[in-house]
Amino acid sequence: MKYIQSLFSLWMLAMSFGCGQHLYQPKHPTNGLTGEAFYTEAKQMQWQQRDSLALGQILAGNMPQFLYKLVPIHVSMVDSV
């Protein structure tokens, strides 16, 4: 799973270069799953199958429109030492 997460993160980072505040958006599939259909299908799967289903839908461009807009996230950490 960590391999898939790393691969996805690198892909998202690569797609964001040169696109300003928006990620590259592949053409949205006309036969893509709706959110409800995705949830119904995914809830019956083991995590490996769920990850594969999610990655396949994302790489096919089947993501909600709002996820393509980048927003800054400010993170801070306090060390316990």
Side-chain angles (χ1 to χ4, degrees):
M1 183 164 135
K2 287 191 181 270
Y3 173 76
I4 291 174
Q5 289 174 336
S6 298
L7 183 63
F8 177 68
S9 296
L10 287 173
W11 178 78
M12 294 295 277
L13 181 62
M15 292 295 113
S16 68
F17 287 122
C19 297
Q21 294 294 321
H22 293 278
L23 293 176
Y24 164 76
Q25 183 175 359
K27 186 174 181 177
H28 197 281
T30 57
N31 61 344
L33 292 174
T34 64
E36 184 177 351
F38 177 85
Y39 175 77
T40 301
E41 191 172 331
K43 74 178 180 180
Q44 300 170 15
M45 298 178 170
Q46 298 296 320
W47 70 267
Q48 296 97 335
Q49 295 169 312
R50 225 177 10 251
D51 280 1
S52 296
L53 176 66
L55 184 60
Q57 291 296 310
I58 291 166
L59 292 176
N62 193 14
M63 283 182 15
Q65 189 68 32
F66 71 90
L67 290 177
Y68 288 99
K69 185 172 190 285
L70 301 176
V71 294
I73 298 173
H74 303 283
V75 178
S76 64
M77 184 177 101
V78 177
D79 194 352
S80 61
V81 176

